[in-house]
Amino acid sequence: MTTGRAGRQRTTGAAPAAGVVTGGWEAVPAARSETAPAGGWDVVPARGCEAIPAGGSGMGNGTDCEAAPAAGCKAVPAAGAEEAPAGGSGTGPGTGAFTGSAPGAGTGRPAAGSRTEPATGAGAGAAAGRAGDGALLVAGDVVTDVVARHRGPLAPGTDTAAAILLVPGGAGANVACWAAHHGCPRVRLLGRVGADTAAWHERELIASGVLPRLVVDPCAPTGTVVALVDDAAAAERTFLTDSGASLRLEPGDWSDGLLDGVARLHLSGYLLFSRPGRAFVAVAVAAARARGVPVSLDPASAGFLASLGVDRFLALTEGVDVLLPSRDEACLLTGLSDPADAAAELSRRFPLVVVKHGRDGALVARSGAVCARVRGRPAVPLDTTGAGDAFTGAFLAALLGGAGPEAAAVDGCGAGALAVTRVGGRPPRRTP
């Protein structure tokens, strides 16, 4: 195990397996060279910002040591690239490791699609804040959805016929995928998964155009959600949730370097429903505010929100710039029965509030008043799972592309309408 403050290490001879973690370190070319220089190779900690001790740190945080990236470069995290490298997902993760596609081993150069970026300073987030210039970073849950579609009431004590499908999900992951689907060119996702399905989730995210930075939890499996969808009730769904590793994201999983080149940070509200998640949100929001990066948050679950408590939620979300609640969440947070009144009230606390109203569209509120009412798009629902996530992803992609809130909400309503016509919470795959 490597401890204390560590600098670069140098190896000579044959090039190390680039991007592959051995004893907790990742090999990259020294001084950004395309081939191994005479002086050898720089070996920097995997993830670039934190050294992962051999065998993992127990929670995958790599907090025992710290090291600088190769001279003149910012080390690209083990995920490897802004765009998915050719060939897919790379090697599977180890205990406490980070997943991601690795550059080709021993080739002396990064694999196709990967890149080493110039070092960026503390003001990188603010500089990237111009519309269309920066990436979207989403931090939140990655889970496995078991979608069971049935017709009519469940039959207690006996069988109920259903069509059952296993699909990737999670509010945070869904938002990231829908943002990429709606043209956001650089979408990054930070989340926690179990070793049981880490490689599968990584492949699915990359295939959707998302750069995953997944922490593999050494103890908990990937979260699982059973979605019961009643085809006879407008495809309305009920969730049975085992959060697993998804809500174990913690401050040690955060690095301020994650904000390099980021124009917006989005947080899944599910993070607020666990102690380590709440601590993570506080660290992430503080870091974003220090760089001038705007923060959005989706409350995620009216049921969990009621258990957390309104006052506690409002205190924990201090510093959030954009709140994206559902109609039920907005009414719960304000105690008001009318969604428009609730949106207006929430906008006295948050600079921009967008209330998702399902088939009825969306409400945009600022400074204590509703400033836009966006009509919903007609759709025949098959499964409403992830419709709100689709809205959020498309909305954020539009904002990053330079659209105003009302125009972005129009895109959000379109994405939500598309989402309900599909099973699961992810967008359709784009054909090359």
Side-chain angles (χ1 to χ4, degrees):
M1 178 177 293
T2 307
T3 60
R5 184 172 294 273
R8 295 188 302 276
Q9 296 181 351
R10 176 154 290 185
T11 63
T12 57
V20 177
V21 176
T22 303
W25 295 81
E26 178 184 8
V28 297
R32 303 176 63 184
S33 62
E34 286 296 316
T35 57
W41 291 71
D42 281 332
V43 183
V44 303
R47 296 273 300 164
C49 303
E50 299 163 337
I52 302 175
S57 65
M59 288 298 291
N61 302 330
T63 53
D64 288 338
C65 49
E66 179 181 344
C73 299
K74 181 190 77 179
V76 177
E82 291 299 337
E83 299 178 357
S89 65
T91 59
T95 301
F98 292 81
T99 71
S101 301
T107 62
R109 66 185 66 194
S114 66
R115 66 192 183 96
T116 302
E117 299 176 297
T120 51
R130 298 184 300 275
D133 285 356
L136 171 66
L137 172 62
V138 179
D141 46 318
V142 181
V143 306
T144 301
D145 282 346
V146 181
V147 182
R149 294 173 51 226
H150 61 96
R151 179 167 289 277
L154 298 176
T158 186
D159 294 333
T160 299
I164 300 175
L165 191 64
L166 189 74
V167 293
N174 291 345
V175 167
C177 291
W178 280 98
H181 181 77
H182 275 262
C184 190
R186 293 193 293 156
V187 184
R188 308 169 187 170
L189 174 71
L190 174 64
R192 255 189 188 252
V193 294
D196 53 335
T197 58
W200 176 59
H201 278 291
E202 179 196 359
R203 287 194 301 270
E204 291 293 320
L205 289 163
I206 290 173
S208 293
V210 175
L211 173 62
R213 287 163 166 81
L214 302 180
V215 185
V216 179
D217 195 291
C219 302
T222 301
T224 302
V225 174
V226 178
L228 304 176
V229 181
D230 188 349
D231 285 349
E236 198 51 63
R237 74 282 188 272
T238 300
F239 294 142
L240 303 175
T241 302
D242 178 355
S243 299
S246 66
L247 299 193
R248 290 164 62 91
L249 203 64
E250 61 179 9
D253 299 328
W254 177 262
S255 165
D256 288 356
L258 290 168
L259 291 173
D260 289 350
V262 167
R264 283 189 173 272
L265 169 65
H266 178 74
L267 301 171
S268 168
Y270 278 110
L271 293 172
L272 297 175
F273 306 136
S274 72
R275 182 177 300 171
R278 288 189 289 271
F280 174 92
V281 167
V283 169
V285 171
R289 287 180 65 83
R291 291 204 184 191
V293 175
V295 181
S296 56
L297 185 139
D298 185 330
S301 168
F304 285 167
L305 186 56
S307 299
L308 178 68
V310 171
D311 291 342
R312 196 175 184 191
F313 174 87
L314 294 175
L316 290 166
T317 53
E318 185 71 33
V320 168
D321 302 281
V322 183
L323 188 71
L324 294 135
S326 68
R327 173 194 57 212
D328 292 345
E329 292 156 1
C331 291
L332 175 62
L333 287 170
T334 59
L336 300 172
S337 59
D338 182 82
D341 292 341
E345 182 62 27
L346 286 170
S347 71
R348 300 179 191 277
R349 177 179 289 268
F350 300 94
L352 177 63
V353 173
V354 182
V355 174
K356 296 171 284 188
H357 209 339
R359 69 181 67 183
D360 294 323
L363 301 165
V364 181
R366 275 181 162 163
S367 304
V370 172
C371 55
R373 296 172 184 261
V374 178
R375 298 181 63 179
R377 299 268 188 92
V380 178
L382 181 66
D383 173 14
T384 56
T385 302
D389 304 332
F391 179 103
T392 297
F395 178 86
L396 294 174
L399 286 187
L400 277 167
E406 182 175 356
V410 171
D411 282 4
C413 287
L418 174 60
V420 302
T421 65
R422 300 174 50 77
V423 175
R426 298 283 175 88
R429 296 275 176 82
R430 290 191 180 278
T431 56

